[in-house]
Amino acid sequence: MQRSILGLAAMLAAGWIPPGWAQPKWAIGQTYSGNIDIGGVQMPLPAGEWTVSGFQASTNLTRTDGTVPGASMVVTLAQLTGSAVRGYAVFVYNERSMSSGWNVPDAKTCRRTEIHHAKVIRDVQLSKSCEYVNHIIYTVSATSAQWWKDTIDFARSRAIVMPPVTIASGIVVSDRANFVSALYHFNPALKGFSAPNNTVWASSDWNVMNVAEDERKKAFVQSVIDWTEKSRPAVEAGLAGKLKKGEGLDWPAAMQ
């Protein structure tokens, strides 16, 4: 343990900067298209311009291998159409590329049985790949994460109408150095769906049981599920740093 700390100190003294430490602070209002580089990995974005709407860093103090604490970062981006939100993208990743002392967020969601879709593709120690589709009810409170408060403030400062519910596609991938949890939110209101009458998640209009009785909503959700299956390889490629400049994603067919 002591050798690891001394070795790190020597490398820092020599001018070595660990991955993630040197990356720029995200500025709300910065725009991206195609994909965004987040600490050495790339996250693909659906077509069009996306604007950073929030970010938050947190330190992981649970490390056991003698290295400095790891850190994770959340970066959120929004795509707007007029005063409405077409979609949100929320990326959580391992800011400092180390192989222990961190957990992959949202991986448990891929095993839930009461949401629209959940699928585990790979689960071998820190090497994971899974996906899910869920409906998200928007709330904000004093205990909300800073990145979400930033996103709400971003919308309010621009007189943007927040969707009361989104259909969200989650893709979680990791290797022994990095993890990425990518959550893409799609706004069904832009396709003519009315605001939900019930905003209680378990019984809302977009709950899996209620959607099963509505062919139009069921088709919308299935479109997001199909898109998730199609898009997961691009998130995997981004984790490996293999996306080309400008290479991104399409939109779900229901959002086109």
Side-chain angles (χ1 to χ4, degrees):
M1 180 180 296
Q2 186 177 15
R3 284 197 301 270
S4 298
I5 295 173
L6 291 174
L8 177 63
M11 287 187 286
L12 289 173
W16 177 75
I17 301 176
W21 287 19
Q23 73 176 30
K25 295 293 184 182
W26 302 110
I28 293 175
Q30 286 180 336
T31 58
Y32 296 86
S33 59
N35 59 68
I36 177 174
D37 187 298
I38 53 174
V41 301
Q42 305 141 341
M43 292 310 305
L45 293 161
E49 184 177 88
W50 291 78
T51 304
V52 175
S53 60
F55 61 90
Q56 180 179 348
S58 59
T59 302
N60 182 350
L61 299 176
T62 62
R63 304 190 61 78
T64 59
D65 62 354
T67 59
V68 296
S72 62
M73 177 72 78
V74 184
V75 179
T76 69
L77 302 96
Q79 185 171 126
L80 310 176
T81 175
S83 62
V85 174
R86 188 181 185 192
Y88 273 110
V90 182
F91 301 135
V92 186
Y93 69 100
N94 193 31
E95 187 184 25
R96 299 180 186 170
S97 300
M98 300 175 184
S99 61
S100 65
W102 51 267
N103 296 314
V104 181
D106 293 332
K108 290 183 179 179
T109 306
C110 298
R111 299 184 185 277
R112 290 174 63 177
T113 59
E114 83 288 16
I115 60 178
H116 294 290
H117 173 70
K119 181 178 180 181
V120 176
I121 292 87
R122 182 179 70 251
D123 187 1
V124 182
Q125 295 180 339
L126 294 179
S127 179
K128 298 178 184 292
S129 176
C130 68
E131 63 187 41
Y132 62 92
V133 172
N134 194 6
H135 73 288
I136 306 294
I137 304 294
Y138 282 85
T139 59
V140 63
S141 67
T143 58
S144 295
Q146 187 60 51
W147 63 265
W148 180 235
K149 292 179 181 178
D150 286 346
T151 297
I152 294 296
D153 289 342
F154 169 87
R156 287 174 178 166
S157 68
R158 291 162 175 77
I160 295 166
V161 178
M162 291 291 291
V165 62
T166 63
I167 306 303
S169 165
I171 301 173
V172 182
V173 297
S174 70
D175 56 25
R176 292 197 63 82
N178 292 297
F179 70 73
V180 170
S181 170
L183 188 61
Y184 301 90
H185 296 256
F186 303 109
N187 183 3
L190 293 183
K191 292 302 175 180
F193 291 97
S194 59
N197 295 317
N198 185 345
T199 56
V200 177
W201 185 90
S203 57
S204 77
D205 300 357
W206 285 94
N207 178 274
V208 64
M209 297 302 295
N210 291 330
V211 165
E213 300 174 358
D214 186 318
E215 291 299 322
R216 187 162 167 257
K217 287 182 178 177
K218 187 164 65 173
F220 186 95
V221 170
Q222 186 59 53
S223 174
V224 176
I225 293 173
D226 294 343
W227 180 89
T228 303
E229 295 270 11
K230 178 182 176 182
S231 300
R232 191 186 68 251
V235 178
E236 295 262 16
L239 179 71
K242 295 181 178 180
L243 292 179
K244 298 176 182 178
K245 183 177 180 179
E247 183 178 1
L249 301 167
D250 296 326
W251 285 80
M255 288 294 297
Q256 294 178 6

